[in-house]
Amino acid sequence: ALDFFCAAVTARDSRLGRKSLRMNDAESFLQVGLLQQEAGEFRHALNSFEECLRIRRQIVKEDDPSLGELLFYIANLLREVGDLDLAQTRFEEALALLEKSGSESAETADVLFSLGVLHTEKQQFSTA
């Protein structure tokens, strides 16, 4: 299924080109990334999430909460592959964006919790 989904995204990209980016394109990369992550293809998943982020940044306002949600996915994946410093940066970006958008949501709580876990993993107990 993952191979067919990736092929469909690639075919649509080559047929439509980058001039016609839509939120559906970003969502496709997000779904591919989630499938890749589930399959253990972490670096491929990270690339898909980053492409989704790039597209969303061209489409939505800079304080759109969907960007924070995506940065949260990226941060969790980075933590999973052991890149704790970059994961921390992405968690902090997600938190800043969610706070800027005025979002007092479950996503904000999730980011705060994950930052605490990350600081614990880095043995930064006073920060956690």
Side-chain angles (χ1 to χ4, degrees):
L2 178 58
D3 292 336
F4 289 116
F5 202 67
C6 288
V9 169
T10 302
R12 188 178 60 218
D13 256 6
S14 64
R15 198 174 105 241
L16 298 177
R18 292 290 182 195
K19 294 179 182 174
S20 62
L21 293 175
R22 299 179 312 234
M23 191 56 98
N24 288 344
D25 297 322
E27 183 64 25
S28 294
F29 279 104
L30 175 61
Q31 294 305 316
V32 167
L34 291 170
L35 289 170
Q36 289 167 324
Q37 184 176 12
E38 190 175 305
E41 298 176 8
F42 300 126
R43 289 295 165 192
H44 293 293
L46 187 57
N47 291 338
S48 295
F49 290 158
E50 291 288 351
E51 183 65 11
C52 177
L53 180 63
R54 187 190 69 73
I55 293 169
R56 279 190 186 178
R57 282 187 166 150
Q58 292 179 26
I59 296 172
V60 300
K61 294 180 181 180
E62 66 182 35
D63 63 347
D64 190 289
S66 72
L67 297 175
E69 174 189 340
L70 186 54
L71 286 164
F72 179 66
Y73 282 135
I74 292 169
N76 276 316
L77 185 56
L78 288 165
R79 194 176 114 230
E80 195 168 334
V81 299
D83 194 341
L84 300 183
D85 291 333
L86 189 52
Q88 180 177 341
T89 300
R90 293 294 182 257
F91 279 131
E92 290 169 351
E93 288 175 24
L95 182 60
L97 201 146
L98 290 167
E99 288 176 340
K100 183 179 178 183
S101 70
S103 179
E104 297 262 341
S105 63
E107 287 87 9
T108 303
D110 288 342
V111 172
L112 287 168
F113 178 80
S114 295
L115 265 171
V117 170
L118 180 84
H119 285 300
T120 301
E121 290 174 345
K122 292 174 77 173
Q123 297 185 352
Q124 298 171 335
F125 301 113
S126 62
T127 310

